[in-house]
Amino acid sequence: MGVDLAPLNSHNPESAFVENPRHLRTAMKRLQKAQQALARTQKGSARRHKAVQRVGRLHHVVAERGRARHITASGRRQQR
């Protein structure tokens, strides 16, 4: 089952526009590339250690951006 993540704008129940989260999508793509690079490294190497650190940092960025989007959207609903 697939989910369409590419609508231009989405509506919440109060008909307020929620913009497309492009910054979140670009961060997710960056995380995906970092995870692929991590998968290609050899266990125990210094390069793998750096890749693990990078994946962890990018995962944190993606989580924060997703959380911020929901907080912003709910704040807009409360203001109306």
Side-chain angles (χ1 to χ4, degrees):
M1 181 165 122
V3 178
D4 182 20
L5 296 177
L8 294 177
N9 291 314
S10 60
H11 291 281
N12 61 19
E14 287 80 27
S15 297
F17 280 106
V18 178
E19 293 185 16
N20 192 5
R22 288 184 184 93
H23 63 281
L24 178 60
R25 189 172 308 137
T26 58
M28 289 174 69
K29 284 187 181 279
R30 209 173 298 134
L31 175 61
Q32 181 182 8
K33 296 274 188 186
Q35 287 174 331
Q36 289 171 351
L38 173 62
R40 289 190 297 264
T41 59
Q42 185 175 7
K43 289 185 178 180
S45 68
R47 183 170 171 248
R48 183 178 179 91
H49 180 70
K50 288 180 187 179
V52 167
Q53 295 297 317
R54 180 171 171 79
V55 167
R57 187 172 60 247
L58 289 172
H59 190 275
H60 177 73
V61 167
V62 168
E64 287 298 313
R65 288 184 181 179
R67 192 174 303 130
R69 177 173 181 250
H70 291 294
I71 290 170
T72 303
S74 67
R76 287 182 188 153
R77 275 187 243 142
Q78 289 176 354
Q79 290 175 355
R80 291 181 177 235

